[in-house]
Amino acid sequence: MMDTNPNYFLYDPSIKRNISVQKLTFDMVNEKLVSGFQKWLFEPHDEEGNVRSTRTVHNIIVGIKTILCWGKEFISKEDYNDIKDFKPVKVKQEKTKIVLTDKEILQLYKVELEGTEKAIRDVFIFQCEIGQRFEDISELVNGKYDENAKTYTIVQKKGRQSVTIPLSDVALEILSSYNFKLPEYSLVYSNKILKSVANKAGLHR
């Protein structure tokens, strides 16, 4: 039976925790609440203690401000002006990313592994070989292999563009070992496993 009177949760910055409310309305939202929510977004959000980047938090707050400004007729003039003037966190410049060398990628590929570690490592190496983002992993899983041309075709999420990629010997070896159907894992879980695999491969930088 459907619950006709559900509870919702609203973050209360004054007590630094969520409170249960019967109904979410525009008049519950003000600059203090948005500011408190922004602070909460920087708290660890999973068991590994990972935190969101300033870019992610910035984009979330900008989105919320946009929605609230669309509904300004439901908000008091004072609260609307406060929310409109609220400055989202500034995006910090990302640290320089270090790219793996061909030698390090080969070193990673040669590590003796089994089960999930091997599968996640293999998918990562496959991505390196064909130069595709993790966000396209679902497309990699469902890509089409052309046996005659030895190419792999996927549709990238960014722009929904079809891309046909020549396969290296390593990429083809990995793909064929999974009967041309790659396994799929979440980004958070994959990163966790890859760190462990990198240590086993002697990659510490």
Side-chain angles (χ1 to χ4, degrees):
M1 184 175 180
M2 185 176 293
D3 187 353
T4 58
N5 190 28
N7 283 338
Y8 298 90
F9 291 95
L10 190 68
Y11 184 73
D12 186 338
S14 64
I15 57 176
K16 296 183 179 181
R17 66 179 178 84
N18 289 329
I19 57 172
S20 176
V21 295
Q22 293 295 317
K23 187 177 181 181
L24 293 175
T25 59
F26 276 105
D27 60 2
M28 294 178 179
V29 183
N30 52 37
E31 185 273 339
K32 184 178 180 181
L33 187 65
V34 175
S35 176
F37 179 60
Q38 179 172 265
K39 290 179 182 178
W40 176 82
L41 286 172
F42 280 111
E43 295 181 7
H45 60 81
D46 60 22
E47 294 179 354
E48 302 302 316
N50 292 312
V51 296
R52 299 171 181 86
S53 68
T54 53
R55 183 175 298 278
T56 297
V57 175
H58 175 89
N59 290 343
I60 290 172
I61 297 300
V62 168
I64 290 174
K65 283 187 60 177
T66 300
I67 293 171
L68 293 175
C69 288
W70 285 342
K72 63 181 180 180
E73 65 267 28
F74 303 109
I75 305 173
S76 72
K77 185 176 180 180
E78 181 181 357
D79 284 336
Y80 170 73
N81 288 332
D82 287 342
I83 291 170
K84 186 179 69 171
D85 294 337
F86 178 74
K87 303 296 183 184
V89 63
K90 290 185 178 180
V91 177
K92 294 180 180 178
Q93 187 172 0
E94 295 181 357
K95 295 180 180 179
T96 302
K97 296 181 180 180
I98 301 175
V99 180
L100 291 175
T101 64
D102 290 339
K103 181 180 178 180
E104 288 171 326
I105 292 173
L106 183 61
Q107 189 175 335
L108 197 63
Y109 186 50
K110 286 185 174 181
V111 178
E112 293 292 333
L113 301 170
E114 295 181 352
T116 302
E117 281 191 334
K118 180 179 183 302
I120 289 177
R121 186 275 312 275
D122 288 349
V123 172
F124 175 74
I125 298 295
F126 185 79
Q127 287 177 259
C128 291
E129 289 292 312
I130 67 173
Q132 296 302 308
R133 307 177 185 87
F134 188 91
E135 66 182 17
D136 289 316
I137 189 66
S138 60
E139 304 302 335
L140 295 181
V141 170
N142 298 303
K144 297 185 182 299
Y145 172 62
D146 185 324
E147 185 175 359
N148 294 322
K150 289 185 170 52
T151 59
Y152 201 63
T153 301
I154 67 170
V155 178
Q156 292 179 318
K157 285 189 176 182
K158 188 175 182 178
R160 302 308 301 169
Q161 184 175 0
S162 178
V163 179
T164 299
I165 307 158
L167 294 178
S168 66
D169 291 340
V170 170
L172 183 56
E173 182 177 74
I174 292 172
L175 195 59
S176 60
S177 70
Y178 292 94
N179 295 318
F180 301 91
K181 182 73 174 179
L182 293 170
E184 186 174 6
Y185 299 91
S186 73
L187 177 58
V188 172
Y189 185 60
S190 294
N191 282 339
K192 177 182 177 181
I193 297 299
L194 284 171
K195 287 178 182 178
S196 172
V197 172
N199 283 329
K200 291 183 178 181
L203 304 179
H204 304 296
R205 72 183 179 92

